[in-house]
Structure formats: structure tokens, C-alpha cells
Amino acid sequence: MSVRATVLDAERRARAALTRVLEPGDERGGRWLRELGAVELLRRLSGPDGRGAVLTGVTAARLAGYRLRAAGAEPDRDLAAVDAVGGRFVCPGDGEWPSQLDDLGDARPVGLWVRGVPDLRLWALRSVAVVGARACTPYGAHMAGTLGAGLAERGWVVVSGAAFGVDGAAHRGALGAGGATLAVLACGVDVAYPRGHTELIGRIAEQGLVIGELPPAEHPTRSRFILRNRVIAALTRGTVVVEAEYRSGSLVTARSAQRLGRSTMGVPGPATSGLSAGVHELLRGEGVLVTDAAEVIELVGEIGDLAPVRRGPVLPRDLLDPASARVLDALPRTGGMDGRDVARAAGTSTDEALGHLYELHSLGFVERESDGWRLTPVPTHNGDARRGGT
């Protein structure tokens, strides 16, 4: 084994151990890691008490907590455990490391525990986060599933947190479309949480990727859920929020995305819905309103990935020239009108009005009566009746 390979193995083993020492998002620990390197930091935390004194910016009690955790770290056991479930440990410097996570600075993950075959870095290059309320409405679940399927069908990786509600719907939408999806967990990648999503997380691990900062067998806490969201925001090109109250972890993800310069989007809901209140507040700020996958891709995709131009249906009267349209508008909704009165109401001559009336007659908009002209009645049923003027 070469010296370089030995150094790399030592760095990986030290980082694996530090995932049991440093909580996700620990910027103090991240600064130590940046300044000292993983091997030296672990040595200082694991050595005699006097060695730990050179670590600055922390109280003696807090340092004692770090050292207690370091004493219990067993990286070889953790690396074997993730290997047993078909996983691996990816850390900065690996070819598979998504470099966009470096935007988090000292809050960057120490490393990522990964389950699944695909290359994490390649998948993250074209990924979008779809997040939202756990206790979502049927509308929220429908929109999340539709977005997940639409993004997957267009070759984008759908990233979420595998939680109940919007997260699960987004993952299922992508899986149902035969596409790519990635779950970022707030626990070990060998732990199915929530338990009700055991089957879903298993499917994601088989068809996509399951990743997390915490070592095998670690369980989630409230703070870990919140800190997990920064990884979702940094990993992806943009974040879409589908239903969120004012106090929502999904909005934490969106704000993290904004700080990192990523696109932030929201799916609107009823103005009376508390579950959409947070999304609407986001949209009043820097968030962009989206309603489908095409609109999301227009924001996060390449130049030319434009959503189709949308407009209402083109009605027959929309195709009339302005003069004919004025003559048609001059006719009353009920009853008839002679040619002179039509001309007066339309602001044109009698001859010109009559010319347009005969054109409108041939198109089925008006009918000739003994005493003048009237609008063709609109049929009240589907059939072959001639079109009216509405």
C-alpha cells in the first residue's frame, strides 16, 4: 500500500470518527477541522487531557463533552456497518463529493454516509429539492407528487427528506415515473425514520440514493432535522416549498437556499389555508411562484429551458378583425337591430356596417331577421348547431 493511500485511509477513518463527535452544522468543530485536519483534530480530542487544551473557542465543559464522544467513537465498526447495508462513507477530497456543499463553509458536513449505487456528485449536479408540510392537505400531496414526477421525467433528481406528507409524495412521484430521487436523512442511513416510511426509504436506497451526516444506528432529534435542511438546500440547484406554515422546517430550507444563492420557489395555495401561509410569505419576498415542473426547470435549468407560454383558449371571435368585432359588439344581447342603428352604435357608415354584418352572418355569429339583425342564439347542448357570438 502506498504512503498516499495510507494517508487517505487515515483521513477517511478520522472523519468517520468525527461524525460521532461533531453534531451536524457545528461551525466551531468545522473551524478546527479546517485548521487542523481530521487526523490531528481527532488526535487532540482523543489524547490525554492536556492535549485538548490547545483547542480554542470552547469552554472546558464543552470540550469535555467533545472528548467524551471521541472516546466512544469506533470508526471501523461504523464503516463496517454501512458497508453491510451496501453503503459507503464519502468525504471531501473524494471524486464523489458534491463540491457545492463547500458553500456551507465551516458548517459543511464532516462527511456523508451514503446508501445506493449512483454517483452522488453526478446526481447532485441536476437536482431540485421539493419540501413542505408533514401534515399536508390532499392538494399539497397532489402537487408534490406531480412536481416529483414531472421533474424526474425531465431528467432531474428530486431531493427531499423522506418525511410524511410533501416529502414522501415528492419521492413517490419520482419513483412512480421511473426517475431519480435522493433522500437526506436526519439519522443514520441504516435507520428507517419515520418507521411508516420503511418501505419507501428501502425503495429509494434501491432505485436512488439515501444520504445522511450521522453515522449508522444514530437516531434523529429535533435539532438534527433543522440542521439537515441546510444540506438539502446546498446540495440542490433550487428549493420548491409545497405547503408550509409560518413556523416550518421547510421555510428554514428555503431561507438557507436563499443565503446560498440558490433558486427559491413556492407553490401557492388557498389564501385561507394556514398550511399555505408560510409559502405565501415566501412568495411576497424573494421566492418565485411555480405551478409545475416546467416552471421549476425554467429557473434552475440551462439557458433555453423555458416553460411553455400559457394563455386561455382562443375563441372564434378573438380572430375577428377590429372593425367586425366592433359591429358584433354593437348588437344587443337580446332582440334585433336594423343596419342603421348598428352603424351608429359601432361608429361606422351604414354600408360598412352591412358589409361586416354579412361577413359575421357567414361565420355564424349573427342572423338576419325581417326587421334587422340579431346575435345567433348560443346552443344549450353539444351538437352541430351554428356558433353564437360568445
Side-chain angles (χ1 to χ4, degrees), residues 118 123 126 147-159 170-182 203-209:
W123 268 35
R126 281 176 59 87
L147 282 170
L151 288 165
E153 288 169 353
R154 290 163 174 80
W156 286 79
V157 178
V158 177
V159 178
H171 287 307
R172 290 189 181 94
L175 291 170
T181 190
L182 183 155
R203 286 183 61 200
I204 296 172
E206 292 176 2
Q207 190 169 321
L209 286 170

Side-chain angles (χ1 to χ4, degrees), residues 143 146-147 154 289-298 305-314:
M143 290 304 300
T146 301
L147 282 170
R154 290 163 174 80
L289 187 151
V290 294
T291 59
D292 61 19
E295 292 175 352
V296 173
I297 294 171
E298 183 177 72
D305 290 339
L306 301 178
V309 177
R310 295 176 173 87
R311 56 169 295 172
V314 178

Side-chain angles (χ1 to χ4, degrees), residues 231-262:
V231 175
I232 295 176
L235 192 67
T236 55
R237 288 201 190 180
T239 295
V240 185
V241 183
V242 184
E243 289 195 326
E245 296 179 295
Y246 285 121
R247 288 175 55 86
S248 168
S250 302
L251 295 183
V252 173
T253 309
R255 294 186 189 107
S256 295
Q258 288 176 339
R259 286 193 297 270
L260 293 166
R262 311 293 197 261

Side-chain angles (χ1 to χ4, degrees), residues 197-211:
H197 275 177
T198 299
E199 181 180 355
L200 174 62
I201 292 171
R203 286 183 61 200
I204 296 172
E206 292 176 2
Q207 190 169 321
L209 286 170
V210 175
I211 71 171

Side-chain angles (χ1 to χ4, degrees), residues 11 40 69 73 97 112 143 147 231 308 373:
E11 175 79 6
E40 176 62 16
R69 284 188 169 193
W97 180 258
L112 289 172
M143 290 304 300
L147 282 170
V231 175
W373 300 86

Side-chain angles (χ1 to χ4, degrees), residues 15 18 34 43 84 104 110 127-128 138 158 193 223 236 265 295-296 298 325 356 361-362 381:
R15 282 184 174 268
L18 287 170
R34 171 172 52 81
R43 185 174 73 85
L104 291 169
V110 174
S127 64
V128 178
V158 177
Y193 188 90
S223 63
T236 55
M265 298 151 277
E295 292 175 352
V296 173
E298 183 177 72
H356 289 301
H361 181 265
S362 66
H381 58 82

Side-chain angles (χ1 to χ4, degrees), residues 11-304:
E11 175 79 6
R12 185 181 310 281
R13 185 176 180 277
R15 282 184 174 268
L18 287 170
T19 63
R20 285 208 176 270
V21 179
L22 305 178
E23 278 292 308
D26 183 342
E27 295 190 51
R28 182 190 299 106
R31 176 174 60 81
W32 291 338
L33 189 56
R34 171 172 52 81
E35 293 174 349
L36 302 173
V39 174
E40 176 62 16
L41 175 57
L42 184 63
R43 185 174 73 85
R44 295 191 185 192
L45 290 171
S46 304
D49 291 346
R51 301 294 301 177
V54 298
L55 294 172
T56 61
V58 64
T59 64
R62 186 65 181 272
L63 182 57
Y66 282 120
R67 293 173 61 80
L68 184 62
R69 284 188 169 193
E74 298 182 43
D76 294 331
R77 182 192 64 183
D78 288 336
L79 290 168
V82 78
D83 182 68
V85 295
R88 56 197 178 278
F89 181 63
V90 177
C91 54
D94 285 336
E96 195 180 355
W97 180 258
S99 59
Q100 59 266 46
L101 291 178
D102 300 343
D103 293 346
L104 291 169
D106 288 340
R108 178 182 73 171
V110 174
L112 289 172
W113 302 88
V114 180
R115 283 178 65 193
V117 175
D119 185 286
L120 173 59
R121 184 184 69 83
L122 295 179
W123 268 35
L125 290 175
R126 281 176 59 87
S127 64
V128 178
V130 180
V131 298
R134 287 177 172 81
C136 68
T137 66
Y139 164 78
H142 169 76
M143 290 304 300
T146 301
L147 282 170
L151 288 165
E153 288 169 353
R154 290 163 174 80
W156 286 79
V157 178
V158 177
V159 178
S160 199
F164 289 132
V166 166
D167 288 18
H171 287 307
R172 290 189 181 94
L175 291 170
T181 190
L182 183 155
V184 183
L185 303 185
C187 54
V189 294
D190 58 340
V191 176
Y193 188 90
R195 291 187 179 181
H197 275 177
T198 299
E199 181 180 355
L200 174 62
I201 292 171
R203 286 183 61 200
I204 296 172
E206 292 176 2
Q207 190 169 321
L209 286 170
V210 175
I211 71 171
E213 297 178 77
L214 293 159
E218 278 292 297
H219 289 270
T221 63
R222 182 179 179 82
S223 63
R224 288 171 173 178
F225 279 120
I226 297 299
L227 290 163
R228 177 269 310 270
N229 294 339
R230 83 194 194 288
V231 175
I232 295 176
L235 192 67
T236 55
R237 288 201 190 180
T239 295
V240 185
V241 183
V242 184
E243 289 195 326
E245 296 179 295
Y246 285 121
R247 288 175 55 86
S248 168
S250 302
L251 295 183
V252 173
T253 309
R255 294 186 189 107
S256 295
Q258 288 176 339
R259 286 193 297 270
L260 293 166
R262 311 293 197 261
S263 296
T264 306
M265 298 151 277
V267 176
T272 55
S273 172
L275 278 173
S276 290
V279 178
H280 296 160
E281 189 66 20
L282 179 69
L283 294 176
R284 292 185 65 207
E286 298 180 6
V288 179
L289 187 151
V290 294
T291 59
D292 61 19
E295 292 175 352
V296 173
I297 294 171
E298 183 177 72
L299 288 172
V300 301
E302 307 299 333
I303 295 175

